Amino acid sequence: MITHSHEHDGHSHPPTDARQYDRAFAIGIALNLGFVLVEAFYGWQVNSLALLADAGHNLSDVAGLILAWVALIASRLHANERHTYGWRKGSILASFLNAIILLLAMGSLGWESIQRLQHPEPMVGETVILVAGIGVVINAVTAWLFMSGSRTDLNLRGAFLHMAADALVSVGVVLAGLLYLWQGWQWIDPVLSLLIAAVIVLGTWSLFRQSLHLMFDGVPEQVDLPAVREYLLGLPGVCDAHDLHVWAMSSAEIALTAHLSVGGDTDRDALLRTATQGLHERFAIDHATIQLEHDSGCQLSCSR
């Protein structure tokens, strides 16, 4: 006899309230798009590489925010006969693309900084400081809007990292302006831009690596697969666990399938309830599909 347990339906149940971030995305996109226009205008007026590069970076982040928002909306679409898991995987794809966009933006910033370092140019320090200071506030506020969700959702983490990175770049631009006014160092603008780009690349690499891992159905980093196997083997009546697979359905949802060999005297309904509840409580796995297989040689005494 074979028994199955499916602890999910065709709808999405993300751990974070996805709709609460609609307003955060709308505010973040509007603020950053407006700031891009202001920063690009004044960067062009005062010939500041830091401001122009930061404006380009902010524009890429607006695209990243839009991408993350679209993925969040797509994750709410119900499953159908063509997409039995819905569009949840889109949040992982958005995380990956956001990491790529951010890495490319920092590569561009680094290249421009090297070019400007070879040919330093003067800048209007006061204007640079004022515009970048506004950017610090806007980016910090936008990052704060996604801070709580970034702890549990990789897609929201991508949005948070984008905004936090922008805030850091803007802080660097302010410092460049202050140091220029103080010492008159024309090289300080590209040097600080290089340092900031390096810091952001280091911080973004984890997002890139994790999202790429999940795109190929890798086991989420927060899940200890040996511990999951040990837990299943320790259930009453279970003698063997095989065909165990754990993967991410979305940037915030984890799924599991497994075959468990049990003895003939095992209370299968109770076992399935215990297994799915334990997987939820211990490993945050809410989408578990367990197949029970009768093993005539399996006795209750073999369970731990």
Side-chain angles (χ1 to χ4, degrees):
M1 178 180 179
I2 298 177
T3 313
H4 301 269
S5 174
H6 302 270
E7 285 298 302
H8 57 84
D9 53 23
H11 306 283
S12 176
H13 302 282
T16 55
D17 182 3
R19 287 177 176 78
Q20 79 182 58
Y21 292 101
D22 284 343
R23 184 177 181 183
F25 276 112
I27 293 173
I29 290 170
L31 287 176
N32 281 272
L33 188 57
F35 181 62
V36 165
L37 298 176
V38 172
E39 194 171 30
F41 174 77
Y42 282 102
W44 174 69
Q45 286 288 319
V46 301
N47 193 31
S48 168
L49 170 65
L51 285 181
L52 290 173
D54 195 29
H57 178 215
N58 271 288
L59 184 60
S60 73
D61 282 351
V62 170
L65 284 177
I66 294 174
L67 180 66
W69 194 9
V70 169
L72 190 68
I73 294 172
S75 69
R76 303 173 196 156
L77 299 177
H78 298 328
N80 55 42
E81 292 183 357
R82 287 181 56 83
H83 301 91
T84 56
Y85 276 128
W87 294 84
R88 301 171 186 178
K89 208 81 168 182
S91 59
I92 297 176
L93 178 60
S95 303
F96 176 74
L97 292 178
N98 264 326
I100 292 294
I101 291 172
L102 193 50
L103 289 172
L104 289 176
M106 289 303 97
S108 176
L109 175 59
W111 176 257
E112 290 297 328
S113 298
I114 292 174
Q115 297 299 311
R116 181 61 64 91
L117 190 59
Q118 296 174 352
H119 306 285
E121 296 183 13
M123 62 179 178
V124 182
E126 295 86 351
T127 302
V128 170
I129 293 170
L130 176 61
V131 176
I134 296 173
V136 172
V137 175
I138 290 177
N139 292 318
V141 168
T142 309
W144 173 77
L145 293 173
F146 300 106
M147 183 179 293
S148 60
S150 67
R151 301 186 182 98
T152 56
D153 190 313
L154 198 64
N155 185 35
L156 294 177
R157 182 185 171 194
F160 169 76
L161 283 177
H162 267 289
M163 295 302 101
D166 273 353
L168 184 59
V169 170
S170 296
V171 168
V173 175
V174 171
L175 289 176
L178 289 172
L179 289 173
Y180 177 78
L181 290 177
W182 179 36
Q183 295 289 343
W185 295 334
Q186 296 184 13
W187 52 264
I188 195 65
D189 183 3
V191 167
L192 277 178
S193 296
L194 276 173
L195 291 175
I196 291 169
V199 170
I200 294 173
V201 166
L202 290 175
T204 305
W205 185 253
S206 175
L207 176 66
F208 171 77
R209 181 176 53 81
Q210 288 186 48
S211 57
L212 180 62
H213 176 69
L214 295 182
M215 282 178 63
F216 288 92
D217 290 333
V219 178
E221 290 193 351
Q222 67 269 34
V223 177
D224 184 346
L225 190 60
V228 172
R229 181 179 287 106
E230 183 178 357
Y231 166 72
L232 293 174
L233 286 172
L235 294 171
V238 176
C239 294
D240 183 42
H242 55 279
D243 293 325
L244 174 60
H245 303 284
V246 178
W247 72 97
M249 296 176 61
S250 72
S251 58
E253 299 173 275
I254 304 172
L256 171 147
T257 60
H259 291 196
L260 303 182
S261 298
V262 299
D265 296 333
T266 303
D267 185 338
R268 295 168 179 248
D269 289 338
L271 172 59
L272 291 173
R273 286 194 299 270
T274 301
T276 52
Q277 181 178 354
L279 290 170
H280 164 72
E281 294 176 351
R282 298 188 183 199
F283 307 102
I285 297 175
D286 293 324
H287 298 261
T289 302
I290 299 174
Q291 178 173 310
L292 302 183
E293 300 174 343
H294 174 67
D295 185 345
S296 58
C298 183
Q299 303 297 327
L300 287 175
S301 59
C302 73
S303 62
R304 301 178 184 180

